[in-house]
Amino acid sequence: MKKLATVILIAVLILVSLPAGISKVSAESIGDLNKEINELEQEKSKLDQEKNQLEGTKKETESKLGENEEQQGSVEQEINTIDDELSNTQSKISTKENEITDTNNEIEELNNKISELSDRIEELKEEIEILQERIIKRDALLRERLRAIQQSGGEMKYMGVILGANSFGDFISRTSAVNTIMDQDKEIMEAQAADKKALEGSKKEVEANKEEVETKKVAVEDKKKSLENQKQDLVALKSQLDAQLAEKETLMASLEEEHGELEEHKMSVEEEQQLLSAEQKAKEKAIAMASSKKGELEQLAKEEEARKAEAARKAEAAQKAEEANKSKSSSSPSSSPSSTPSPSTKSNSSPAPSSSSGSGIFIKPAAGSISSHYGMRYHPIHNYNKLHAGTDFATPTGTTLVAVADGVVSTAGWVSGYGNTIMISHYINGKSYTTLSAHLSSISVSVGQAVSQGQAIGKTGNSGDSTGPHLHFEVHPGGYKNPANPMTYLK
């Protein structure tokens, strides 16, 4: 009987010792989970602050976009006004050019008339010279006739000629001759007077016409100068308007470029907000998973406490039974003392395996050699120096991509520049990380999905801003937007 009681006591003590060790491990695990949940909550709060800052940046960008669009509207209205003024000025210039052309034609006609009148004047000069010679000759003839008449006594000479006729026939002949001479003298006189009058009339007419044409020509030339001055003013105005238009168009181009940059910045901010929201959801899921695990451990701890209480109760009952047996057998011969083996209190639990081996915490994401390291470099597409925020692995399209560590997928889709992208939130050894894999050809996970280290999550490719098939891999300690050299974290 004594031997049986001893065996029962030993069994109870072993049962008591086992839950104590498990309870200690559970308590430590719950404490670690509480720490992990608190840290994840702090990171989630930090993400909220970053999201609020991004929202402020987004509103500021939208405000700048509004101002830019108002400026564009104002400049566009100014450009339209200048265009109208230019069109009106060009129309006036065309009108002036037509008027100048008409004036040039008129001047040409007047020059032709002046040329014709000059030619006519030259002809008249020749005619005048002829008339002057004729007048001179007539004057000489008349002077001779007058001198002869005076010397012969005037008309009595003619009477002597007539009265000196020898016969009647001779008388008639002499009379006809005298009349003919007198008629000729009269015609000479009349012709002389007519030539002088015609000469004076022609000279006056030509000079008057020439004076009129020259006066008109001066007026037309003045008109031409005025039109040319007006045209020069219009051309100067057009040049000024052209300069204003060029300035406004340059300003408009600048505003459009600024608008594009603001739109791109706004999209970048919105995309970053989406990435932070996705990461926040991943943190929330990690918190939920940790809370669930904590609940399981707490339930396990309760069950262990209950088992411990039951074991203690059984031990107490066994002890009472042993004491009762001792009192009953006190009158019986004592048996030889037997050695009671001391109960073992050694825990059967073993420490959890390390989450990493080697110098890093992440396994390699895909097979392939390094084609471009982390750091500043000349961008092969954008053609300027900028930070290359990750490590590139030369991988053929379709190479299997694996999760570098346990975590929760925060992004699984297209990201500007990166193409098809997977981002995973990890919590390792009390620290959080975000890994990014880009330029993928396919994605086989979804947002919010929990993944384990080494699990296939997609295939590498050449999507987004890429010059050839490869994997772009980034590591962000503490969360996205904090890139570090991935090689520091790879095993």
Coordinates of all heavy atoms in Angstrom, one line a residue, residues 184-255:
Q184 N -1.9 137.8 -150.6 CA -0.7 137.0 -150.0 C -0.2 137.8 -148.7 O 0.1 137.1 -147.7 CB 0.4 136.8 -151.0 CG 0.0 135.8 -152.1 CD 1.1 135.7 -153.1 OE1 2.0 136.5 -153.2 NE2 1.0 134.7 -153.9
D185 N -0.1 139.0 -148.9 CA 0.4 139.8 -147.7 C -0.6 139.6 -146.5 O -0.2 139.5 -145.4 CB 0.5 141.3 -148.1 CG 1.7 141.6 -149.0 OD1 2.5 140.6 -149.1 OD2 1.7 142.6 -149.6
K186 N -1.9 139.7 -146.9 CA -2.9 139.5 -145.8 C -2.8 138.1 -145.2 O -2.9 137.9 -144.0 CB -4.3 139.7 -146.4 CG -5.4 139.7 -145.4 CD -6.8 139.9 -146.0 CE -7.9 139.8 -145.0 NZ -9.2 140.0 -145.6
E187 N -2.7 137.1 -146.0 CA -2.6 135.7 -145.5 C -1.3 135.5 -144.6 O -1.4 134.8 -143.6 CB -2.5 134.7 -146.7 CG -3.8 134.5 -147.4 CD -3.7 133.7 -148.6 OE1 -2.6 133.2 -148.9 OE2 -4.7 133.4 -149.3
I188 N -0.3 136.2 -145.1 CA 1.0 136.1 -144.3 C 0.7 136.7 -142.9 O 1.1 136.2 -141.9 CB 2.1 136.8 -145.0 CG1 2.5 136.0 -146.3 CG2 3.3 137.0 -144.1 CD1 3.5 136.7 -147.2
M189 N 0.1 137.8 -142.9 CA -0.2 138.5 -141.7 C -1.1 137.7 -140.8 O -0.9 137.5 -139.6 CB -0.9 139.9 -142.0 CG 0.0 140.8 -142.7 SD 1.4 141.5 -141.7 CE 0.5 142.5 -140.6
E190 N -2.2 137.1 -141.4 CA -3.1 136.3 -140.6 C -2.4 135.0 -140.1 O -2.6 134.6 -139.0 CB -4.3 135.9 -141.4 CG -5.2 137.1 -141.7 CD -6.4 136.8 -142.6 OE1 -6.3 135.6 -143.2 OE2 -7.3 137.6 -142.8
A191 N -1.6 134.4 -141.0 CA -0.9 133.2 -140.6 C 0.1 133.4 -139.5 O 0.2 132.7 -138.5 CB -0.2 132.6 -141.8
Q192 N 0.7 134.6 -139.6 CA 1.7 135.0 -138.6 C 1.0 135.2 -137.2 O 1.4 134.7 -136.2 CB 2.4 136.3 -139.0 CG 3.4 136.8 -138.0 CD 4.7 136.1 -138.2 OE1 4.7 135.0 -138.8 NE2 5.8 136.6 -137.6
A193 N -0.2 135.8 -137.2 CA -1.0 136.0 -136.0 C -1.5 134.7 -135.4 O -1.4 134.4 -134.2 CB -2.1 137.0 -136.3
A194 N -1.9 133.8 -136.3 CA -2.5 132.5 -135.9 C -1.3 131.6 -135.3 O -1.5 131.0 -134.3 CB -3.1 131.8 -137.1
D195 N -0.2 131.6 -135.9 CA 0.9 130.8 -135.4 C 1.4 131.3 -134.0 O 1.6 130.5 -133.1 CB 2.1 130.9 -136.4 CG 1.9 130.1 -137.6 OD1 0.9 129.2 -137.6 OD2 2.6 130.2 -138.6
K196 N 1.4 132.6 -133.9 CA 1.8 133.2 -132.6 C 0.8 132.8 -131.5 O 1.1 132.4 -130.4 CB 1.9 134.7 -132.7 CG 3.2 135.2 -133.4 CD 3.3 136.7 -133.3 CE 4.6 137.1 -134.0 NZ 4.7 138.6 -134.0
K197 N -0.5 132.9 -131.9 CA -1.6 132.5 -130.9 C -1.5 131.0 -130.6 O -1.7 130.6 -129.4 CB -2.9 132.9 -131.5 CG -4.1 132.7 -130.6 CD -5.4 133.2 -131.2 CE -6.5 133.0 -130.2 NZ -7.8 133.5 -130.8
A198 N -1.4 130.2 -131.6 CA -1.3 128.7 -131.4 C -0.1 128.4 -130.5 O -0.2 127.5 -129.6 CB -1.2 128.0 -132.7
L199 N 1.0 129.1 -130.8 CA 2.2 128.8 -130.0 C 2.0 129.1 -128.5 O 2.3 128.3 -127.7 CB 3.4 129.6 -130.6 CG 4.7 129.5 -129.8 CD1 5.2 128.1 -129.9 CD2 5.7 130.4 -130.4
E200 N 1.4 130.3 -128.3 CA 1.1 130.7 -126.9 C 0.1 129.7 -126.2 O 0.3 129.3 -125.1 CB 0.6 132.1 -126.8 CG 1.6 133.2 -127.2 CD 2.8 133.2 -126.3 OE1 2.6 132.9 -125.1 OE2 3.9 133.5 -126.8
G201 N -0.9 129.3 -126.9 CA -1.9 128.4 -126.4 C -1.3 127.0 -126.1 O -1.6 126.4 -125.0
S202 N -0.5 126.5 -127.0 CA 0.1 125.2 -126.7 C 1.1 125.2 -125.5 O 1.1 124.3 -124.7 CB 0.9 124.7 -128.0 OG 0.0 124.5 -129.1
K203 N 1.8 126.3 -125.5 CA 2.7 126.4 -124.3 C 2.0 126.5 -123.0 O 2.3 125.8 -122.0 CB 3.6 127.6 -124.5 CG 4.7 127.4 -125.6 CD 5.5 128.7 -125.8 CE 6.4 129.0 -124.7 NZ 7.3 130.2 -124.9
K204 N 0.9 127.3 -123.0 CA 0.1 127.4 -121.8 C -0.5 126.0 -121.4 O -0.5 125.6 -120.2 CB -0.9 128.5 -121.9 CG -0.3 129.9 -121.9 CD -1.5 130.9 -122.1 CE -0.9 132.3 -122.1 NZ -2.0 133.3 -122.3
E205 N -1.1 125.4 -122.4 CA -1.8 124.1 -122.2 C -0.8 123.0 -121.6 O -1.1 122.4 -120.6 CB -2.4 123.6 -123.5 CG -3.1 122.2 -123.3 CD -3.7 121.7 -124.6 OE1 -3.6 122.4 -125.6 OE2 -4.2 120.6 -124.6
V206 N 0.3 122.9 -122.2 CA 1.3 121.9 -121.8 C 1.8 122.2 -120.4 O 1.9 121.3 -119.6 CB 2.4 121.7 -122.8 CG1 3.5 120.8 -122.3 CG2 1.9 121.2 -124.1
E207 N 2.2 123.4 -120.2 CA 2.7 123.8 -118.9 C 1.6 123.6 -117.8 O 1.9 123.2 -116.7 CB 3.2 125.3 -118.9 CG 4.5 125.4 -119.7 CD 4.8 126.9 -119.9 OE1 4.0 127.7 -119.4 OE2 5.9 127.2 -120.5
A208 N 0.4 123.9 -118.1 CA -0.7 123.7 -117.2 C -0.9 122.3 -116.8 O -1.0 121.9 -115.7 CB -2.0 124.3 -117.7
N209 N -0.9 121.4 -117.9 CA -1.1 120.0 -117.7 C 0.1 119.4 -116.9 O -0.1 118.6 -116.0 CB -1.2 119.3 -119.0 CG -2.5 119.5 -119.7 OD1 -3.5 119.9 -119.0 ND2 -2.6 119.3 -121.0
K210 N 1.3 119.9 -117.2 CA 2.5 119.4 -116.5 C 2.4 119.8 -115.1 O 2.7 119.0 -114.2 CB 3.7 119.9 -117.2 CG 5.0 119.3 -116.6 CD 6.2 119.9 -117.3 CE 7.5 119.3 -116.6 NZ 8.7 119.9 -117.2
E211 N 2.1 121.0 -114.8 CA 2.0 121.5 -113.4 C 0.9 120.7 -112.6 O 1.2 120.4 -111.5 CB 1.7 123.0 -113.5 CG 1.6 123.6 -112.1 CD 1.3 125.1 -112.1 OE1 1.3 125.7 -113.2 OE2 1.2 125.7 -111.0
E212 N -0.2 120.5 -113.3 CA -1.3 119.7 -112.6 C -0.8 118.3 -112.3 O -1.1 117.8 -111.2 CB -2.5 119.7 -113.5 CG -3.7 118.9 -113.0 CD -4.9 118.8 -113.9 OE1 -4.8 119.4 -115.0 OE2 -5.8 118.1 -113.6
V213 N -0.2 117.6 -113.3 CA 0.2 116.3 -113.1 C 1.3 116.2 -112.0 O 1.3 115.3 -111.1 CB 0.7 115.6 -114.4 CG1 1.4 114.3 -114.1 CG2 -0.4 115.5 -115.4
E214 N 2.3 117.1 -112.0 CA 3.3 117.2 -111.0 C 2.8 117.4 -109.6 O 3.2 116.8 -108.6 CB 4.4 118.2 -111.4 CG 5.2 117.8 -112.6 CD 6.2 118.8 -113.0 OE1 6.1 120.0 -112.6 OE2 7.2 118.5 -113.7
T215 N 1.8 118.3 -109.5 CA 1.1 118.6 -108.3 C 0.4 117.3 -107.7 O 0.5 117.0 -106.5 CB 0.1 119.7 -108.4 OG1 0.8 120.9 -108.9 CG2 -0.6 120.0 -107.1
K216 N -0.3 116.7 -108.6 CA -1.0 115.5 -108.3 C 0.0 114.4 -107.9 O -0.2 113.6 -106.9 CB -1.8 115.0 -109.4 CG -2.8 113.8 -109.1 CD -3.7 113.5 -110.2 CE -4.7 112.4 -109.8 NZ -5.7 112.1 -110.9
K217 N 1.1 114.3 -108.6 CA 2.2 113.3 -108.3 C 2.7 113.6 -106.9 O 2.9 112.6 -106.1 CB 3.3 113.4 -109.3 CG 4.4 112.4 -109.0 CD 5.6 112.5 -110.0 CE 6.7 111.6 -109.6 NZ 7.9 111.8 -110.5
V218 N 3.0 114.8 -106.5 CA 3.5 115.2 -105.2 C 2.5 114.7 -104.1 O 2.8 114.1 -103.1 CB 3.7 116.7 -105.1 CG1 4.0 117.1 -103.6 CG2 4.9 117.1 -106.0
A219 N 1.2 115.0 -104.4 CA 0.1 114.6 -103.4 C 0.1 113.1 -103.3 O 0.0 112.5 -102.2 CB -1.2 115.1 -103.9
V220 N 0.2 112.4 -104.4 CA 0.2 110.9 -104.3 C 1.4 110.3 -103.6 O 1.3 109.4 -102.9 CB 0.0 110.3 -105.8 CG1 0.1 108.8 -105.7 CG2 -1.3 110.7 -106.4
E221 N 2.6 110.9 -103.9 CA 3.8 110.5 -103.2 C 3.7 110.8 -101.7 O 4.1 110.0 -100.9 CB 5.0 111.2 -103.8 CG 5.3 110.7 -105.2 CD 6.5 111.4 -105.8 OE1 6.8 112.6 -105.4 OE2 7.1 110.9 -106.8
D222 N 3.1 111.9 -101.3 CA 2.8 112.2 -99.9 C 1.9 111.1 -99.3 O 2.1 110.6 -98.2 CB 2.3 113.6 -99.7 CG 3.3 114.7 -100.0 OD1 4.5 114.4 -100.0 OD2 2.8 115.8 -100.3
K223 N 0.9 110.8 -100.1 CA -0.1 109.7 -99.6 C 0.7 108.4 -99.5 O 0.5 107.7 -98.5 CB -1.2 109.6 -100.6 CG -2.2 108.5 -100.3 CD -3.3 108.4 -101.3 CE -4.3 107.3 -101.0 NZ -5.3 107.1 -102.1
K224 N 1.6 108.1 -100.4 CA 2.3 106.9 -100.3 C 3.2 106.9 -99.1 O 3.3 105.8 -98.4 CB 3.2 106.7 -101.6 CG 4.0 105.4 -101.5 CD 4.9 105.3 -102.8 CE 5.9 104.1 -102.7 NZ 6.8 104.1 -103.8
K225 N 3.9 108.0 -98.8 CA 4.7 108.1 -97.6 C 3.9 107.9 -96.4 O 4.3 107.2 -95.4 CB 5.4 109.4 -97.6 CG 6.5 109.6 -98.6 CD 7.2 110.9 -98.5 CE 8.3 111.1 -99.5 NZ 8.9 112.4 -99.5
S226 N 2.7 108.5 -96.3 CA 1.8 108.3 -95.2 C 1.4 106.9 -95.0 O 1.4 106.3 -93.9 CB 0.6 109.2 -95.3 OG -0.4 109.0 -94.3
L227 N 1.1 106.2 -96.1 CA 0.7 104.8 -96.1 C 1.8 103.9 -95.6 O 1.6 103.0 -94.8 CB 0.2 104.3 -97.4 CG -1.2 104.9 -97.9 CD1 -1.5 104.5 -99.3 CD2 -2.3 104.4 -97.0
E228 N 3.0 104.2 -96.1 CA 4.2 103.4 -95.7 C 4.5 103.6 -94.2 O 4.9 102.7 -93.5 CB 5.4 103.8 -96.5 CG 5.3 103.3 -98.0 CD 6.4 103.7 -98.8 OE1 7.1 104.7 -98.5 OE2 6.7 103.1 -99.9
N229 N 4.3 104.9 -93.7 CA 4.5 105.1 -92.3 C 3.5 104.4 -91.5 O 3.8 103.8 -90.4 CB 4.4 106.6 -92.0 CG 5.6 107.4 -92.5 OD1 6.7 106.8 -92.7 ND2 5.4 108.7 -92.8
Q230 N 2.2 104.4 -92.0 CA 1.2 103.6 -91.3 C 1.5 102.1 -91.3 O 1.3 101.4 -90.3 CB -0.2 103.9 -91.9 CG -0.7 105.3 -91.8 CD -2.0 105.6 -92.5 OE1 -2.7 104.6 -92.9 NE2 -2.2 106.8 -92.8
K231 N 2.0 101.7 -92.4 CA 2.3 100.2 -92.5 C 3.4 99.9 -91.5 O 3.4 98.9 -90.9 CB 2.7 99.9 -94.0 CG 3.1 98.4 -94.1 CD 3.7 98.1 -95.5 CE 4.2 96.7 -95.6 NZ 4.8 96.4 -96.9
Q232 N 4.4 100.8 -91.5 CA 5.6 100.6 -90.5 C 5.1 100.5 -89.1 O 5.5 99.7 -88.3 CB 6.6 101.7 -90.7 CG 7.4 101.6 -92.0 CD 8.4 102.7 -92.2 OE1 8.4 103.6 -91.3 NE2 9.2 102.6 -93.2
D233 N 4.1 101.4 -88.8 CA 3.5 101.4 -87.4 C 2.8 100.1 -87.2 O 2.9 99.5 -86.1 CB 2.5 102.5 -87.2 CG 3.2 103.9 -87.2 OD1 4.5 103.9 -87.0 OD2 2.6 104.9 -87.5
L234 N 2.1 99.6 -88.2 CA 1.4 98.3 -88.0 C 2.3 97.1 -88.0 O 2.1 96.2 -87.2 CB 0.4 98.1 -89.2 CG -0.8 99.1 -89.3 CD1 -1.5 99.0 -90.6 CD2 -1.8 98.7 -88.1
V235 N 3.4 97.2 -88.8 CA 4.4 96.1 -88.7 C 5.1 96.1 -87.3 O 5.3 95.1 -86.7 CB 5.4 96.3 -89.8 CG1 6.6 95.4 -89.6 CG2 4.8 96.1 -91.2
A236 N 5.4 97.3 -86.8 CA 5.9 97.4 -85.5 C 5.0 96.9 -84.4 O 5.4 96.1 -83.5 CB 6.3 98.9 -85.1
L237 N 3.7 97.2 -84.6 CA 2.7 96.7 -83.7 C 2.6 95.1 -83.8 O 2.5 94.4 -82.8 CB 1.3 97.3 -84.0 CG 0.1 96.7 -83.2 CD1 0.3 97.0 -81.7 CD2 -1.2 97.4 -83.6
K238 N 2.7 94.7 -85.0 CA 2.6 93.2 -85.2 C 3.8 92.5 -84.6 O 3.7 91.5 -83.9 CB 2.6 92.9 -86.7 CG 2.5 91.4 -87.0 CD 2.5 91.1 -88.5 CE 2.4 89.6 -88.8 NZ 3.6 88.9 -88.4
S239 N 5.0 93.1 -84.7 CA 6.2 92.6 -84.1 C 6.1 92.6 -82.5 O 6.4 91.6 -81.9 CB 7.4 93.4 -84.4 OG 7.7 93.4 -85.8
Q240 N 5.5 93.7 -82.0 CA 5.2 93.7 -80.6 C 4.2 92.6 -80.1 O 4.4 91.9 -79.1 CB 4.7 95.1 -80.2 CG 4.4 95.3 -78.7 CD 3.9 96.7 -78.4 OE1 3.8 97.5 -79.3 NE2 3.5 96.9 -77.2
L241 N 3.2 92.5 -80.9 CA 2.2 91.4 -80.6 C 2.8 90.0 -80.8 O 2.5 89.1 -80.0 CB 1.0 91.6 -81.5 CG 0.1 92.8 -81.3 CD1 -0.9 93.0 -82.4 CD2 -0.6 92.8 -79.9
D242 N 3.6 89.9 -81.8 CA 4.3 88.6 -82.0 C 5.2 88.3 -80.7 O 5.2 87.1 -80.3 CB 5.2 88.6 -83.2 CG 4.4 88.5 -84.5 OD1 3.3 87.9 -84.4 OD2 4.8 88.9 -85.6
A243 N 5.9 89.3 -80.2 CA 6.7 89.1 -79.1 C 5.9 88.7 -77.8 O 6.2 87.8 -77.1 CB 7.6 90.3 -78.8
Q244 N 4.7 89.5 -77.7 CA 3.8 89.2 -76.6 C 3.3 87.8 -76.7 O 3.2 87.0 -75.7 CB 2.7 90.2 -76.6 CG 3.1 91.6 -76.2 CD 1.9 92.6 -76.2 OE1 0.8 92.2 -76.5 NE2 2.2 93.8 -76.0
L245 N 2.9 87.4 -77.9 CA 2.3 86.0 -78.1 C 3.4 85.0 -77.8 O 3.1 84.0 -77.2 CB 1.9 85.9 -79.6 CG 1.2 84.6 -80.0 CD1 0.0 84.3 -79.2 CD2 0.9 84.5 -81.5
A246 N 4.6 85.2 -78.3 CA 5.7 84.2 -78.0 C 5.9 84.1 -76.5 O 6.1 83.0 -76.0 CB 7.0 84.7 -78.7
E247 N 5.9 85.3 -75.8 CA 6.0 85.3 -74.3 C 4.9 84.5 -73.7 O 5.1 83.7 -72.8 CB 6.1 86.7 -73.8 CG 6.3 86.8 -72.3 CD 6.3 88.3 -71.9 OE1 6.3 89.2 -72.7 OE2 6.3 88.5 -70.6
K248 N 3.7 84.7 -74.1 CA 2.5 84.1 -73.5 C 2.5 82.6 -73.9 O 2.2 81.7 -73.0 CB 1.2 84.7 -74.1 CG 1.0 86.1 -73.7 CD 1.0 86.3 -72.2 CE 0.8 87.8 -71.8 NZ 0.9 88.0 -70.3
E249 N 3.0 82.2 -75.1 CA 3.0 80.8 -75.4 C 4.1 80.1 -74.6 O 3.9 79.0 -74.2 CB 3.3 80.7 -76.9 CG 2.1 81.0 -77.8 CD 2.4 80.9 -79.3 OE1 3.6 81.0 -79.6 OE2 1.4 80.9 -80.1
T250 N 5.2 80.8 -74.4 CA 6.3 80.3 -73.5 C 5.8 80.0 -72.1 O 6.0 79.0 -71.5 CB 7.5 81.2 -73.5 OG1 8.0 81.3 -74.8 CG2 8.6 80.6 -72.6
L251 N 5.0 81.1 -71.6 CA 4.4 81.0 -70.3 C 3.4 79.8 -70.2 O 3.4 79.0 -69.2 CB 3.8 82.3 -69.9 CG 3.0 82.3 -68.6 CD1 4.0 82.0 -67.4 CD2 2.4 83.7 -68.3
M252 N 2.6 79.7 -71.3 CA 1.6 78.6 -71.3 C 2.3 77.2 -71.3 O 1.9 76.3 -70.6 CB 0.8 78.8 -72.6 CG -0.3 77.6 -72.8 SD -1.4 77.5 -71.4 CE -2.6 78.8 -71.9
A253 N 3.4 77.1 -72.1 CA 4.2 75.9 -72.1 C 4.7 75.6 -70.8 O 4.7 74.4 -70.3 CB 5.3 76.0 -73.2
S254 N 5.2 76.6 -70.1 CA 5.8 76.4 -68.7 C 4.7 76.0 -67.8 O 4.9 75.1 -67.0 CB 6.4 77.7 -68.3 OG 6.8 77.6 -66.9
L255 N 3.5 76.6 -67.9 CA 2.4 76.3 -67.0 C 1.9 74.8 -67.3 O 1.6 74.1 -66.4 CB 1.2 77.2 -67.2 CG 1.4 78.6 -66.7 CD1 0.3 79.6 -67.1 CD2 1.5 78.6 -65.1

